[in-house]
Amino acid sequence: MKSAIIAKFGGADSIKMVEEPLPSIKGSQVLIKVGYAGVNPLDWKVRSGSMKMVTGKKLPQKPGYECSGLVSEIGPAVKDLIPGDRVIGYTGLKGGAYAEYVALPERDCARVPETIDLKVAAGVPICGLTAYQCLTQRGKIAKGDEILIVGAAGGVGSFATQIARILGARTTAVCSSANVQYVKDLGADAVIDYTTEDVYSCGLSFNLIFDAVNAHKWSEIKKLLKPNGIYVNTIPGPVEFIRQIFTGLLPGKKFKTFLMKSDRGQISWILEKMAAGEIRLNVDEVFPFQEVAEAISANEKMRTRGKIIVEVDPSIN
Ligand SMILES: NC(=O)c1ccc[n+]([C@@H]2O[C@H](COP(=O)([O-])OP(=O)(O)OC[C@H]3O[C@@H](n4cnc5c(N)ncnc54)[C@H](OP(=O)(O)O)[C@@H]3O)[C@@H](O)[C@H]2O)c1
């Protein structure tokens, strides 16, 4: 089968297409015939070598961390999924979703309702779970809360804006001029265009600030938090973990960082809301399989509205 690999750490020319044997499955694994894969900033971060501390130095590595497709085989301990099921899956940091087939544990897959296009569904696992977990588990969102979402037009921010609305919060979304109408359409109650307005002069204070693109310094952004407000960012590093521990020990405003965890129940909740029309995912651009490197470079510009998708086998749906 064809599969994309990171042959060396660096730029777009680091991504190569190779022929590999079909993955074999065992236990509770399922083999997915991949239709589509979602592109994430993790792809270009790992490709550049800036994630070596997490993914290791050994090459080749595999980009592609989420996909949709059809179950083609199941291991003997698989309980729920059957061949032919339409599914999405999360690969974890081992990657490998830009491939014709991927083997995943059943617990990291979820069945996709018939009404949801598999091309759209491929972009759900990472951004959907990140938004859900940051708002609920890290951010402790409650009905009526005032929430600021920075990066509201991106993959994570698009989900966060819609999930916050469903959970009854009042959202202020931060984006550039080109995305103001887009985030209003997602249900943001107010929008700050950071290219023409100063976020710090908005005159509001928030129960939760979710900085989905890590655009702000804690020392500045904390001034916009209510006395016991929480700030959540999505780039965990040593400084962030220390700050999280420190603010956790003291009364008052909390800084929290985040690492996404696979959760089948939460993914199913998001898919149900999508099937009911309460959450939508904008597919910004679609790239053919042989242009995985270009798809990753397009996301690296940090201008994606919703998600970029790679079409591995467009005959699947
Ligand atoms: N820790 C974890 O487990 C975890 C999980 C998922 C994602 N992440 C990280 O979270 C970050 C976001 O991921 P993503 O998938 O949402 O990225 P993305 O879709 O590529 O984000 C692109 C968006 O960022 C917005 N943006 C760029 N600069 C901005 C700024 N200064 N202020 C406001 N918005 C800005 C752009 O909107 P405009 O064009 O309107 O500026 C664009 O829509 C990435 O760094 C990713 O690695 C971490």
Side-chain angles (χ1 to χ4, degrees):
M1 66 162 193
K2 284 194 176 54
S3 167
I5 60 160
I6 297 169
K8 60 181 171 101
F9 294 118
D13 65 340
S14 309
I15 307 285
K16 302 281 178 224
M17 280 291 184
V18 295
E19 277 294 333
E20 284 186 345
L22 221 61
S24 54
I25 53 163
K26 55 182 184 197
S28 60
Q29 285 185 318
V30 300
L31 187 66
I32 299 173
K33 170 93 179 84
V34 177
Y36 308 88
V39 179
N40 287 281
L42 188 57
D43 288 309
W44 46 266
K45 291 180 186 181
V46 174
R47 188 206 64 204
S48 73
S50 68
M51 299 284 293
K52 277 184 214 160
M53 290 277 283
V54 183
T55 60
K57 291 181 189 166
K58 207 170 154 210
L59 289 165
Q61 296 197 8
K62 291 195 170 173
Y65 305 91
E66 62 186 0
C67 66
S68 65
L70 300 179
V71 174
S72 72
E73 253 182 75
I74 57 170
V78 167
K79 292 199 175 92
D80 180 29
L81 295 173
I82 55 168
D85 275 348
R86 303 166 81 244
V87 289
I88 51 176
Y90 168 60
T91 68
L93 290 174
K94 72 177 177 15
Y98 301 128
E100 288 175 300
Y101 290 85
V102 63
L104 295 179
E106 182 182 31
R107 65 170 183 275
D108 295 330
C109 301
R111 202 178 272 122
V112 177
E114 286 297 328
T115 51
I116 302 176
D117 191 335
L118 282 181
K119 190 189 287 179
V120 175
V124 174
I126 294 178
C127 291
L129 283 177
T130 298
Y132 186 89
Q133 292 172 5
C134 283
L135 292 177
T136 59
Q137 294 167 336
R138 307 301 286 149
K140 313 273 182 218
I141 187 175
K143 203 169 178 205
D145 276 358
E146 284 282 350
I147 298 195
L148 183 73
I149 298 173
V150 183
V156 173
S158 294
F159 276 103
T161 304
Q162 298 173 90
I163 292 171
R165 186 202 66 224
I166 292 168
L167 298 178
R170 190 187 180 281
T171 53
T172 301
V174 183
C175 64
S176 65
S177 313
N179 288 320
V180 169
Q181 192 55 47
Y182 169 73
V183 299
K184 277 186 187 164
D185 292 345
L186 294 180
D189 295 290
V191 181
I192 298 174
D193 173 354
Y194 70 85
T195 65
T196 59
E197 296 164 73
D198 178 12
V199 177
Y200 300 110
S201 311
C202 69
L204 294 166
S205 62
F206 300 96
N207 302 89
L208 171 64
I209 296 175
F210 178 30
D211 190 351
V213 289
N214 310 287
H216 293 276
K217 284 190 179 146
W218 167 241
S219 56
E220 292 295 322
I221 200 81
K222 69 179 178 187
K223 294 173 192 161
L224 294 183
L225 282 176
K226 290 184 192 283
N228 289 312
I230 299 173
Y231 167 90
V232 180
N233 91 346
T234 56
I235 300 197
V239 172
E240 284 71 24
F241 281 117
I242 290 166
R243 188 171 287 143
Q244 174 172 291
I245 293 168
F246 193 65
T247 62
L249 293 171
L250 298 170
K253 301 173 182 181
K254 305 287 182 233
F255 176 99
K256 294 190 185 182
T257 191
F258 172 77
L259 264 180
M260 195 212 97
K261 290 189 190 70
S262 177
D263 189 305
R264 227 180 157 193
Q266 293 172 354
I267 273 287
S268 298
W269 183 88
I270 293 165
L271 288 170
E272 274 167 33
K273 298 292 175 197
M274 290 178 76
E278 291 180 60
I279 295 179
R280 68 182 176 87
L281 176 57
N282 182 59
V283 173
D284 193 3
E285 261 186 287
V286 179
F287 287 78
F289 189 24
Q290 62 273 21
E291 291 177 20
V292 168
E294 288 83 352
I296 294 171
S297 296
N299 178 254
E300 196 171 3
K301 293 179 187 145
M302 283 296 289
R303 295 275 79 82
T304 304
R305 180 188 284 172
K307 290 289 292 190
I308 293 174
I309 300 294
V310 170
E311 225 167 32
V312 177
D313 182 349
S315 72
I316 289 179
N317 217 319

